[in-house]
Amino acid sequence: MTIPPDSGASTTPPRQDGDTPGDQFPTRTEATTHEIAPTLRPDLQVIADLIPPGVMALDLGCADGELLEYLVRSREVRGRGVELSEEGVLACVRRGLSVRQGNLQEGLADYPDASFEYVILAQTLPFLDDPAMILNEMLRVGRHAIISFPNWGYWRCRLELLLTGRIPQAPNLPQRWFDVPRWQAFTITDFGRYCRRLGVKIDHQVYLSGD
C-alpha cells in the first residue's frame, strides 16, 4: 500500500510448506519520553491497521522509525527493525527502538525461521536488486509479509506519462530515475504476477489514491 498514485499494500502469508516453529522473541526495550506523532503518513497508517496488537513484528528498511515507534507504543507490538543508513539507525535509537544496521540485499540470516508474526517492507522493494530473495526471506522469518510500493499503473501515472513523456514523481519517492540508489518502477499487476511465479499467495490488498 503505498503512496504515489494509487499504491498497493499487500499482506502475503507464507507458502503452505513453509511453516516452522519460531524461537522465543526477546522482550522489547523500555519506552522513552520521546513524543509519538499523533498521526502517521497515510500509507504507514494502513500498514499499522493491518497488524494486530501485541504481535511480534520486524520492520525492514524502517528509516527513522516512525512506523515502528507507533506500533511499539500504541499497539504494544514487540517490534524490531533493520535500517541501512546510519542516520536512520540513530533516529530510531533516539526513539528508544531496537534497530540494527544492516543491508537487506544480504538477506536475514541473523533471524531464525518464523521469528516474527509480521514482517514489513514499506516503500523499499523498488530499490532492491533481488526481490525474490527478500520476499522469500520475509516469509521464512515471518508468518505474514506486508509490502507497500508506488503503483505506476495508476491511471494518473499513465496519463502524465502520455501527456508529458516523463516518468511521474511519486509523493514519497523523492529520488529521480538517475539518482542513487536507483529504483525500478512496476505496477500492482506486475507484482501480482511475480508473486504467483514465486508461489506466494496475496491474501489482502489496500489501495491509496495519493490525493
Side-chain angles (χ1 to χ4, degrees):
M1 94 200 110
T2 260
I3 334 221
D6 202 85
S7 317
S10 302
T11 60
T12 59
R15 306 179 191 196
Q16 294 180 353
D17 60 353
D19 285 339
T20 52
D23 293 351
Q24 184 177 2
F25 192 82
T27 56
R28 65 183 175 88
T29 56
E30 291 297 320
T32 67
T33 57
H34 182 85
E35 285 289 329
I36 304 175
T39 58
L40 289 171
R41 204 173 67 203
D43 61 312
L44 297 183
Q45 185 63 61
V46 175
I47 293 176
D49 291 343
L50 292 171
I51 299 177
V55 300
M56 301 175 292
L58 176 65
D59 189 359
L60 303 177
C62 58
D64 64 358
E66 179 185 4
L67 173 61
L68 189 59
E69 180 182 39
Y70 178 88
L71 293 173
V72 169
R73 308 279 174 77
S74 300
R75 307 299 294 274
E76 298 185 344
V77 165
R78 289 168 287 170
R80 296 292 184 271
V82 179
E83 169 58 30
L84 177 62
S85 72
E86 183 177 352
E87 313 90 82
V89 173
L90 291 176
C92 290
V93 170
R94 284 193 290 269
R95 294 176 185 263
L97 301 172
S98 178
V99 172
R100 73 171 182 84
Q101 189 169 16
N103 188 344
L104 300 182
Q105 311 274 23
E106 299 173 358
L108 303 173
D110 291 344
Y111 298 101
D113 294 354
S115 302
F116 303 88
E117 290 169 83
Y118 287 83
V119 181
I120 304 161
L121 186 70
Q123 306 286 349
T124 303
L125 188 62
F127 296 94
L128 300 179
D129 294 332
D130 190 351
M133 181 275 291
I134 195 63
L135 288 175
N136 285 322
E137 280 288 87
M138 291 175 72
L139 294 175
R140 178 185 66 80
V141 304
R143 293 181 175 88
H144 304 275
I146 299 179
I147 300 169
S148 71
F149 53 84
N151 173 28
W152 296 104
Y154 184 49
W155 71 268
R156 290 184 177 176
C157 284
R158 301 185 195 189
L159 182 61
E160 184 173 344
L161 181 60
L162 175 65
L163 296 178
T164 69
R166 300 180 61 187
I167 291 292
Q169 185 69 48
N172 281 336
L173 191 61
Q175 291 90 340
R176 295 163 295 182
W177 69 269
F178 51 83
D179 288 337
V180 177
R182 293 287 305 279
W183 49 270
Q184 174 66 53
F186 58 93
T187 71
I188 289 177
T189 300
D190 290 329
F191 183 72
R193 290 180 176 177
Y194 190 62
C195 286
R196 288 194 294 273
R197 175 182 172 187
L198 297 178
V200 173
K201 175 188 173 185
I202 297 178
D203 182 63
H204 184 66
Q205 298 182 66
V206 178
Y207 300 88
L208 300 180
S209 67
D211 294 334

